[in-house]
Amino acid sequence: MKIPSLLIILFVILSARISAQSVRPGADQPAIFIPLLQGKNIALVANHTSLAGDQHLLDFLLKKQVSVKKVFCPEHGFRGEADAGEQITDQTDPATGIPVISLYGKNRKPSAGQLTGIDIVVFDLQDVGVRFYTYLSTMYYVMEACAGNDVPLIILDRPNPNGDYVAGPVLKPEFRSFVGMIPIPVVHGCTLGELAGMIDGEGWLSNGESCMLTVVPVQNYSHQTRYTLPVKPSPNLPNDVAVRLYPSLCFFEATHASIGRGTPFPFQVIGYPDPSMGKFMFTPESVPGAKEPLQKGKICYGDDLRQASLDNKFSLSYFLMYYHRFDEEKKFLSSERWFNLLVGNDQVIKDVRAGMTLDAIEASWREELQQYVDLRREYLLYPE
């Protein structure tokens, strides 16, 4: 492992008895990070999940007389209300008058000009522990911008609600995209703070550059801690069940089957406008966060997964089940390229077409997954 000379990790003594009730994200530990910000010009990477106690981190910092000059926001916008994939434009925060610069649109990486006069960048976003959830990609580009412009980065770490396990194929370099920036599996089992250390330590930034990185870790947290997110991290992950099913169901985004966008239970159902698909029925409609959902206005038939166990882990079983329910692949799969980008390779779809079993497909990525598991242990900040 390459140890970056500028990597600073602020360790805390973890409680011997860890409980979800006592978990304290980095943003809830101002005694650690406020002294680092006083007298500095700050850029904040934040959205609606960036809470310090019961108030937004931006408001909290301003009350502490921290000089926040601008905010960068990821997919779904500063208030977390935009649809998946919807381009976000620059704006001004009406509550504070501070400029909000979108990192989800034409510009996904802070430019040198946007970092001019900034002494420190503070990053605080709630991730869900899945490679294709784009807050990770935003962090990668922010790290790259900070490294390239000699601006220190402070990450206020947060728990990973899918951080208790590691699963899925590791991304192949030729399938790198905004839904897969680094060679990690679908479910990576790290907090963003841990991943930042891995990105820096493994030299995954452009030209192997190193970021002046400080991570304020979560207190009283282990990777087996059950953690319910205080606010939904994006419009279509409204609860614990959706968050746990998300790694498995996101592959349906490359199909004609609905996973409940436009209903009260996104990422908790699967269906298609054909009664042969199942007995459960739902109808996607235009709603905030899903203005044009797949199969809008059509009765979909399929499966209700709302009672799924919170022990549920990543599996291709749902995808395979529906793949075989359709009599033709083209009726089911809408974008092979999108599926491959989400999976991280083009071998899985080949194996599916060849009729391989679920066990055989999973066995094909087991060796690379184990290599990642060994790498991950070098960068963990919290007990497994």
Side-chain angles (χ1 to χ4, degrees):
M1 176 181 71
K2 171 194 166 190
I3 303 295
S5 59
L6 295 176
L7 177 62
I8 306 170
I9 302 292
L10 298 177
F11 286 100
V12 295
I13 298 175
L14 293 170
S15 163
R17 299 179 64 185
I18 297 173
S19 69
Q21 287 72 33
S22 63
V23 167
R24 294 182 66 201
D28 288 343
Q29 301 170 67
I32 294 177
F33 63 85
I34 291 295
L36 305 177
L37 307 181
Q38 289 171 335
K40 307 290 186 180
N41 290 328
I42 305 303
L44 181 62
V45 184
N47 65 3
H48 64 293
T49 69
S50 309
L51 299 177
D54 59 357
Q55 60 184 313
H56 196 280
L57 180 60
L58 174 58
D59 300 327
F60 177 78
L61 292 177
L62 294 175
K63 287 180 181 178
K64 294 293 184 180
Q65 280 76 55
V66 173
S67 178
V68 181
K69 296 298 184 183
K70 61 187 65 176
V71 174
F72 294 102
C73 70
E75 183 178 9
H76 306 296
F78 185 50
R79 298 299 175 187
E81 298 170 344
D83 288 10
E86 181 179 343
Q87 286 204 353
I88 309 299
T89 58
D90 296 348
Q91 55 187 284
T92 298
D93 179 45
T96 63
I98 291 176
V100 177
I101 300 169
S102 171
L103 295 181
Y104 195 77
K106 294 180 180 179
N107 176 41
R108 295 188 174 180
K109 175 179 172 180
S111 66
Q114 289 167 341
L115 292 179
T116 298
I118 297 299
D119 298 311
I120 298 175
V121 174
V122 176
F123 181 101
D124 181 26
L125 297 176
Q126 177 63 64
D127 190 50
V128 298
V130 183
R131 184 183 66 221
F132 38 70
Y133 201 66
T134 62
Y135 297 167
L136 166 58
S137 301
T138 294
M139 183 184 75
Y140 177 91
Y141 277 131
V142 168
M143 289 181 67
E144 201 166 70
C146 287
N149 293 279
D150 296 320
V151 178
L153 174 64
I154 296 176
I155 293 178
L156 305 181
D157 211 9
R158 291 186 174 274
N160 175 358
N162 284 310
D164 56 309
Y165 74 107
V166 173
V170 173
L171 177 77
K172 299 291 186 185
E174 59 268 34
F175 292 91
R176 188 175 188 267
S177 73
F178 198 66
V179 292
M181 298 293 298
I182 56 177
I184 59 175
V186 171
V187 182
H188 52 69
C190 291
T191 66
L192 287 186
E194 291 171 324
L195 277 182
M198 185 184 298
I199 289 168
D200 205 59
E202 293 302 306
W204 288 341
L205 298 177
S206 293
N207 303 316
E209 291 183 314
S210 184
C211 181
M212 291 182 283
L213 177 65
T214 301
V215 175
V216 180
V218 185
Q219 283 189 349
N220 306 322
Y221 173 69
S222 86
H223 281 283
Q224 299 307 312
T225 303
R226 290 288 189 186
Y227 185 71
T228 295
L229 302 183
V231 295
K232 57 184 180 182
S234 51
N236 290 284
L237 292 181
N239 55 39
D240 291 345
V241 173
V243 168
R244 291 299 281 191
L245 288 171
Y246 173 74
S248 303
L249 298 193
C250 197
F251 298 128
F252 283 87
E253 304 280 42
T255 75
H256 294 292
S258 168
I259 45 174
R261 290 186 187 272
T263 74
F265 30 78
F267 284 96
Q268 297 157 81
V269 298
I270 312 171
Y272 180 77
D274 181 341
S276 69
M277 293 293 158
K279 295 182 179 180
F280 179 67
M281 296 182 292
F282 62 92
T283 304
E285 302 289 357
S286 180
V287 298
K291 299 181 185 67
E292 293 296 329
L294 186 66
Q295 307 299 353
K296 175 182 172 182
K298 299 178 182 178
I299 300 175
C300 294
Y301 303 82
D303 294 273
D304 183 0
L305 308 178
R306 286 176 289 176
Q307 301 306 312
S309 168
L310 293 182
D311 292 325
N312 187 80
K313 295 183 178 181
F314 167 80
S315 176
L316 274 178
S317 60
Y318 301 108
F319 183 87
L320 286 174
M321 177 173 64
Y322 271 79
Y323 182 91
H324 293 299
R325 284 185 188 178
F326 284 75
D327 56 6
E328 293 181 56
E329 181 187 279
K330 65 181 181 180
K331 292 181 181 178
F332 174 59
L333 192 65
S334 58
S335 174
E336 180 176 344
R337 172 171 170 73
W338 188 235
F339 177 78
N340 292 342
L341 290 177
L342 292 170
V343 172
N345 64 56
D346 61 358
Q347 188 58 48
V348 169
I349 194 61
K350 293 175 182 177
D351 293 344
V352 171
R353 288 170 176 157
M356 289 177 60
T357 65
L358 176 63
D359 288 345
I361 294 173
E362 290 179 345
S364 70
W365 64 62
R366 197 165 292 149
E367 182 177 349
E368 285 189 340
L369 183 61
Q370 184 58 51
Q371 292 172 357
Y372 169 79
V373 168
D374 295 338
L375 174 68
R376 169 181 174 265
R377 288 200 180 100
E378 299 181 34
Y379 293 98
L380 292 179
L381 301 177
Y382 314 100
E384 291 187 82

